[in-house]
């Protein structure tokens, strides 16, 4: 892509806060739940989107701002979708309780299976792309093997729903955020698991009585961040005992019950998050101060994600089904 080549000059070596609208893409007829850039450098112009309109779309979000493919393999809302590490497949799960692994080029299903519960989150296992874990409206999280279409491990917790899943470095442990918050206790809000043994390592990580709709790992430091329904992003150590950083939190945006995502910039210097009022907030990672806000959408902005190669490019999506690219 000529645009990618032009951006990789000296001016764009470090992360900058986007402010100019490049593309406005609005072919989804329902809320967009998730967007994700393709992880393969040569295909990083492609953006994946999953929507409540039962479809998954792949966009050329760098050069043309157009929809390349639409996949309609689900019969209900698609709540979660992920690129495979090779960039040739898309794993998806939805409220129809179906799991699909779709070939990007042909649109054919490589793997399909009926799950026992509605799916709200799924992630590939970092050490083996044939394995993934999924969670949703169930006290269980399941690990699947694509090769034999079977569940290979079950992680059981006394919760009603899993909201997000995050693998920690090396993939030996992972975290789940859940809806397990009561008036008197916040245990089980974030749970740490041993991947191989399915043993629960800790359920006393986050003690404030807010659910955490999304989790994200810092690219360079041993920390992870959790979006909270207390309208702030909390910071934790990604090493045992996963202590919270009480001196630093990122506040100013609004969550208000939406599954608002947060993430770090590729170089780790910024924290970006959507907001229920349609704005995007950029925070300095070290000081936790707001650097800039972007009035991106009229409806709730549920995701904002940095391009993996172009540090000045950000994609955002909202509850009205719109996707925007900012530079």
């Amino acid at each position: 892509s000529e645009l990618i080549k032009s951006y990789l000059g000296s001016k764009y070596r470090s992360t900058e806060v986007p402010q100019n609208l490049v593309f406005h893409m609005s072919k989804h007829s329902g809320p967009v739940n998730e967007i994700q850039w393709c992880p393969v450098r040569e295909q990083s112009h492609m953006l994946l989107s999953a929507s409540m309109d039962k479809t998954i779309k792949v966009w050329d979000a760098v050069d043309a701002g157009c929809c390349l493919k639409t996949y309609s393999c689900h019969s209900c809302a698609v709540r979660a979708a992920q690129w495979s590490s090779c960039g040739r497949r898309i794993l998806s799960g939805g409220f129809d309780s179906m799991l699909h692994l779709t070939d990007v080029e042909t649109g054919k299903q490589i793997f399909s299976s009926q799950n026992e519960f509605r799916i709200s989150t799924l992630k590939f296992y970092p050490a083996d792309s044939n394995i993934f874990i999924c969670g949703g409206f169930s006290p269980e999280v399941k690990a699947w093997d694509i090769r034999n279409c079977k569940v290979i491990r079950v992680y059981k917790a006394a919760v009603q729903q899993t909201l997000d899943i995050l693998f920690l470095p090396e993939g030996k442990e992972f975290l789940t955020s859940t809806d397990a918050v009561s008036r008197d206790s916040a245990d089980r809000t974030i749970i740490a698991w041993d991947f191989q043994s399915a043993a629960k390592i800790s359920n006393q990580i986050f003690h404030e009585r807010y659910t955490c709709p999304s989790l994200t790992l810092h690219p360079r430091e041993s920390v992870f961040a959790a979006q909270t329904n207390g309208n702030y992003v909390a910071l934790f150590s990604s090493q045992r005992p996963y202590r919270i950083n009480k001196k630093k939190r990122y506040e100013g945006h609004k969550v208000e019950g939406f599954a608002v995502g947060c993430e770090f910039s590729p170089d780790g210097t910024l924290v970006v998050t959507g907001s229920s009022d349609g704005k995007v907030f950029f925070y300095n990672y070290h000081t936790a101060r707001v650097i800039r806000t972007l009035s991106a959408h009229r409806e709730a902005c549920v995701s904002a994600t940095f391009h993996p190669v172009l540090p000045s490019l950000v994609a955002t999506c909202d509850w009205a089904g719109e996707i925007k690219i900012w530079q």
Side-chain angles (χ1 to χ4, degrees):
S1 164
E2 291 302 316
L3 190 55
I4 289 179
K5 289 178 183 176
S6 68
Y7 280 172
L8 291 178
S10 60
K11 183 180 178 183
Y12 293 99
R13 282 178 185 161
S14 61
T15 299
E16 297 177 14
V17 177
Q19 54 188 332
N20 299 317
L21 181 63
V22 180
F23 295 122
H24 180 184
M25 308 180 300
S26 56
K27 288 194 175 182
H28 278 296
S29 59
V32 178
N33 288 314
E34 189 157 23
I35 51 175
Q36 187 184 40
W37 294 103
C38 183
V40 179
R41 187 182 181 95
E42 293 76 19
Q43 299 168 218
S44 62
H45 62 288
M46 295 196 300
L47 182 76
L48 164 71
S49 62
S51 172
M52 300 288 272
D53 68 6
K54 309 177 189 177
T55 70
I56 302 159
K57 293 183 185 291
V58 171
W59 308 79
D60 179 345
V62 173
D63 293 311
C66 65
C67 182
L68 300 174
K69 292 257 187 178
T70 299
Y71 308 94
S72 303
C73 49
H74 289 274
S75 60
C76 290
V78 185
R79 183 60 187 87
Q82 292 274 302
W83 289 100
S84 64
S85 58
C86 65
R88 295 194 297 268
R89 300 171 178 180
I90 294 169
L91 177 67
S92 60
F95 287 175
D96 57 359
S97 302
M98 288 298 296
L99 290 160
H100 294 295
L101 184 68
T102 304
D103 184 277
V104 173
E105 189 172 344
T106 65
K108 293 180 179 179
Q109 267 68 63
I110 300 165
F111 160 91
S112 287
S113 186
Q114 178 80 43
N115 193 44
E116 293 179 0
F117 52 81
R118 288 181 294 162
I119 297 152
S120 55
T121 180
L122 45 78
K123 293 290 189 302
F124 277 106
Y125 177 44
D128 187 344
S129 59
N130 292 304
I131 297 172
F132 68 89
I133 55 176
C134 72
F137 293 79
S138 168
E140 297 179 346
V141 171
K142 294 182 177 182
W144 288 77
D145 192 318
I146 291 166
R147 291 164 292 192
N148 56 21
C149 297
K150 290 184 178 179
V151 175
I152 58 171
R153 232 165 259 115
V154 177
Y155 309 83
K156 296 183 179 181
V159 301
Q160 291 182 322
Q161 183 184 359
T162 299
L163 305 176
D164 199 10
I165 294 167
L166 178 70
F167 274 101
L168 296 177
E170 299 180 8
K172 294 179 181 178
E173 299 169 5
F174 70 93
L175 306 170
T176 57
S177 62
T178 77
D179 65 347
V181 175
S182 67
R183 290 178 60 186
D184 304 317
S185 174
D187 68 319
R188 306 188 306 276
T189 305
I190 299 176
I191 303 173
W193 303 87
D194 181 274
F195 176 77
Q196 293 293 345
S197 69
K200 194 184 296 178
I201 298 169
S202 175
N203 63 350
Q204 298 288 334
I205 298 171
F206 184 50
H207 296 283
E208 297 187 36
R209 291 192 290 274
Y210 299 113
T211 55
C212 301
S214 67
L215 306 170
T216 187
L217 195 65
H218 194 278
R220 297 183 179 180
E221 298 184 17
S222 299
V223 299
F224 72 91
Q227 181 77 268
T228 79
N229 267 301
N231 297 328
Y232 65 90
V233 174
L235 206 60
F236 300 82
S237 168
S238 60
Q239 298 177 336
R240 301 186 194 183
Y242 319 107
R243 286 197 178 93
I244 190 171
N245 186 336
K246 294 183 179 180
K247 297 179 180 179
K248 191 185 296 184
R249 67 186 199 179
Y250 309 85
E251 51 192 349
H253 61 285
K254 299 176 182 178
V255 180
E256 297 180 334
F258 288 94
V260 175
C262 63
E263 73 166 46
F264 297 98
S265 60
D267 64 1
T269 60
L270 299 177
V271 176
V272 63
T273 175
S275 181
S276 63
D277 58 7
K279 294 179 181 177
V280 179
F281 283 72
F282 296 89
Y283 298 91
N284 181 301
Y285 164 64
H286 297 287
T287 66
R289 292 178 181 172
V290 176
I291 296 174
R292 186 174 296 160
T293 60
L294 192 65
S295 296
H297 299 273
R298 287 175 292 180
E299 299 287 333
C301 177
V302 293
S303 184
T305 177
F306 282 96
H307 191 280
V309 179
L310 312 175
S312 66
L313 214 62
V314 165
T316 64
C317 66
D318 73 359
W319 205 241
E322 295 184 341
I323 299 168
K324 293 182 179 181
I325 309 298
W326 304 86
Q327 183 252 308

